[in-house]
């Protein structure tokens, strides 16, 4: 596929990717998901998203070719490929900050490299394609265990580790009340994983009833529709003995609904980087001394965020792109043990030719869509 400008993606025949560096591999894609993060690109909100780019940072496939210096992979291996492109040896990779690799995206001071995620994230073509070039192939790609369903594997490239890291960054203590904003794939995984860290109560806020119904059983969680509240912050305070939640997780990011001012200011006029309303709610409904964990993605330019409340309440804010590689071993264990069933969130599956329809369905939240998967016909 390729990007043609805001709200336009289409199938396009592109040249076969080639090995450009001795550490590259070429992967034949067998599955590739569309992510909430792709919607920021699709909506034209990410700077330097160039027409002609192939999106797709959640994919798995079969190693087709390897560069002469690749040692950890062989042709024919079935691999899942973390969304972060990381060199494995820079200052940041050495600390396990694979989402902040300095070498894969040396132009940027913040995010590292990400497949199919604009030139802000390195300008690498992504995996919503038949074939993809995978740099630093010894680092990210992980051989899929033979017992694992490929539908589970493809979700381990992003949404499962991101949800898990959201819960981890929350520093959840046994018995804590955790509020997750957003019942998309990332919020679903964050709510599920919050229990692994000992949460005593998990509450999820969204405005899409079909997603709330899913997450209620899957996480499980108490679920509330913010359209049915006068003020979500007051509602959450009342629901938590007037103290506020111990941990709030923002699994929404800059495409948030729920506030007209920010919608006009951030989404229409682009005077801030999208709408930070879910983050406002998180900051204002966490208890004093609590933790706000942000995995929702915001553009790199300014946002109107209530930083005064962060200071006055003594809130700890933690955030990052997920460090997929660091988390994979324990997440593979959770899947093997049956504690995590990632593929249950897949609602739509279509051939690559239907990419523009699938973007439309996922973006407009039609047809009960939670997670769509593209399957190239080889
Ligand atoms: N940090 C990372 O590594 C990382 C990785 C993957 C995705 N993300 C980000 O996580 C976010 C969620 O991803 P997703 O795939 O679940 O996306 P999604 O678009 O499927 O889900 C977002 C959900 O938030 C809901 N929502 C909108 N406004 C809200 C509000 N004010 N309060 C509560 N809920 C609201 C939507 O109805 C939707 O269900 C996106 O911003 C995405 O870019 C981050
Ligand atoms: Zn993603
Ligand atoms: Zn690095």
């Amino acid at each position: 596929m390729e990007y043609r400008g805001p709200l336009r993606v289409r199938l396009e025949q592109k040249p076969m990717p080639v090995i450009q560096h001795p550490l590259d591999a070429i992967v034949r894609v067998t599955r590739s998901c569309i992510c909430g993060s792709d919607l920021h690109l699709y909506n034209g909100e990410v700077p330097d998203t160039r027409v002609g780019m192939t999106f797709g940072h959640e994919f798995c496939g079969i190693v087709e070719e390897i560069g002469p210096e690749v040692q950890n992979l062989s042709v024919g291996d079935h691999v899942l490929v973390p969304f972060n492109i990381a060199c494995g040896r820079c200052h940041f990779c050495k600390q396990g900050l694979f989402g902040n690799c300095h070498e894969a995206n040396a132009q940027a001071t913040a995010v590292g490299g990400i497949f199919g995620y604009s030139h802000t994230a390195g300008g690498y073509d992504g995996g919503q394609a038949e074939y993809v070039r995978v740099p630093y192939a010894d680092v990210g790609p992980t051989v899929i265990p033979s017992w694992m369903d490929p539908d589970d594997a493809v979700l381990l490239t992003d949404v499962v580790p991101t949800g898990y890291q959201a819960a981890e960054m929350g520093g959840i203590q046994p018995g804590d009340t955790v509020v997750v904003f957003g019942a998309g794939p990332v919020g679903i995984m964050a709510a599920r994983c919050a229990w692994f860290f000992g949460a005593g109560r998990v509450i999820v806020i969204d405005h899409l009833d079909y997603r709330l119904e899913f997450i209620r059983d899957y996480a499980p969680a108490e679920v509330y529709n913010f359209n049915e509240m006068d003020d979500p912050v007051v509602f959450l305070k009342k629901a938590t003995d007037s103290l506020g939640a111990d941990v709030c997780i923002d699994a929404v990011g800059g495409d948030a609904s729920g506030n007209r001012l920010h919608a006009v200011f951030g989404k229409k006029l682009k005077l801030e980087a999208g709408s930070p309303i879910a983050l406002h709610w998180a900051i204002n409904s966490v208890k004093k001394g609590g933790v706000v964990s942000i995995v929702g993605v915001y553009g790199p330019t300014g946002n109107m965020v209530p930083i005064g409340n962060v200071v006055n309440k003594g809130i700890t804010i933690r955030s990052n792109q997920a460090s997929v590689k660091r988390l994979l071993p324990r997440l593979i264990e959770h899947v093997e043990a049956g504690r995590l069933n990632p593929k249950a969130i897949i609602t739509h599956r279509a051939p690559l030719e239907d990419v523009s329809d699938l973007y439309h369905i996922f973006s407009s939240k039609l047809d009960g869509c939670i997670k769509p998967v593209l399957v190239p016909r080889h």
Side-chain angles (χ1 to χ4, degrees):
M1 64 79 84
E2 68 172 29
Y3 177 63
R4 298 303 306 164
L7 306 182
R8 290 174 64 206
V9 294
R10 71 176 183 205
L11 194 72
E12 186 66 37
Q13 191 67 43
K14 296 181 82 171
M16 176 78 181
V18 291
I19 302 275
Q20 296 177 19
H21 183 278
L23 283 171
D24 284 353
I26 304 297
V27 169
R28 175 154 67 88
V29 177
T30 51
R31 271 174 187 65
S32 161
C33 299
I34 304 176
C35 175
S37 295
D38 291 322
L39 299 181
H40 312 307
L41 299 166
Y42 182 66
N43 292 336
E45 288 164 358
V46 181
D48 211 0
T49 305
R50 301 187 191 173
V51 165
M53 165 157 264
T54 298
F55 297 164
H57 56 269
E58 304 182 0
F59 59 93
C60 59
I62 300 169
V63 178
E64 179 85 2
E65 196 183 340
I66 52 173
E69 286 178 22
V70 174
Q71 289 177 348
N72 297 342
L73 291 183
S74 308
V75 170
D77 281 348
H78 288 249
V79 288
L80 65 93
V81 182
F83 76 87
N84 328 102
I85 302 177
C87 77
R89 55 178 187 233
C90 71
H91 178 80
F92 300 101
C93 285
K94 277 194 197 134
Q95 297 172 55
L97 290 169
F98 295 101
N100 311 96
C101 173
H102 209 53
E103 198 180 295
N105 185 15
Q107 305 299 328
T109 49
V111 73
I114 302 178
F115 287 99
Y117 213 75
S118 85
H119 279 65
T120 307
Y124 298 93
D125 267 341
Q128 288 163 11
E130 290 177 311
Y131 295 90
V132 58
R133 177 174 80 92
V134 175
Y136 307 108
D138 272 342
V139 181
T142 300
V143 174
I144 301 171
S146 54
W147 52 264
M148 187 180 280
D149 188 316
D151 282 347
D152 285 328
V154 74
L155 294 169
L156 287 175
T157 63
D158 182 348
V159 294
V160 179
T162 300
Y164 185 91
Q165 185 168 319
E168 182 189 59
M169 291 190 301
I172 298 167
Q173 300 297 312
D176 272 0
T177 295
V178 179
V179 176
V180 178
F181 294 89
V186 171
I188 292 171
M189 292 304 161
R192 172 82 195 115
C193 294
W195 296 110
F196 298 164
F197 293 89
R201 188 175 174 200
V202 178
I203 298 172
V204 179
I205 306 288
D206 201 302
H207 63 143
L208 300 175
D209 285 327
Y210 77 90
R211 288 185 169 197
L212 289 171
E213 270 162 35
F214 178 86
I215 204 170
R216 181 175 49 212
D217 297 333
Y218 182 89
E222 287 168 53
V223 298
Y224 300 103
N225 185 327
F226 64 75
N227 281 337
E228 289 164 13
M229 306 166 179
D230 285 336
D231 180 341
V233 175
V234 173
F235 176 87
L236 285 167
K237 283 276 174 65
K238 283 192 180 150
T240 51
D241 296 331
S242 299
L243 291 174
D246 299 289
V247 177
C248 282
I249 294 175
D250 173 354
V252 182
D255 280 308
S257 314
N259 184 280
R260 211 165 284 149
L261 171 77
H262 287 291
V264 172
F265 209 70
K267 296 211 263 186
K268 281 219 166 61
L269 301 177
K270 308 257 190 287
L271 292 173
E272 60 175 337
S275 164
I277 192 61
L279 181 54
H280 278 241
W281 293 346
I283 289 170
N284 292 335
S285 56
V286 79
K287 69 161 60 151
K288 289 184 261 186
V291 181
V292 172
S293 166
I294 311 170
V295 284
V297 163
Y298 292 91
T301 49
N303 272 96
M304 296 193 291
V305 172
I307 195 68
N309 293 356
V310 174
V311 176
N312 290 338
K313 292 175 73 175
I315 295 171
T316 299
I317 294 199
R318 293 204 60 198
S319 61
N320 209 345
Q321 297 284 344
S323 186
V324 177
K325 184 184 161 69
R326 176 177 67 80
L327 297 170
L328 276 178
R330 102 187 52 150
L331 293 173
I332 289 171
E333 260 177 49
H334 280 311
V335 175
E336 188 170 21
R339 289 184 290 269
L340 257 180
N341 174 13
K343 63 178 178 298
I345 68 170
I346 295 176
T347 49
H348 290 67
R349 184 186 302 271
L352 197 54
E353 296 90 283
D354 294 349
V355 62
S356 51
D357 287 349
L358 218 52
Y359 263 87
H360 174 64
I361 290 169
F362 180 61
S363 160
S364 305
K365 319 294 193 221
L366 304 174
D367 193 28
C369 189
I370 297 178
K371 190 71 174 171
V373 182
L374 290 159
V375 185
R377 288 191 234 259
H378 285 284

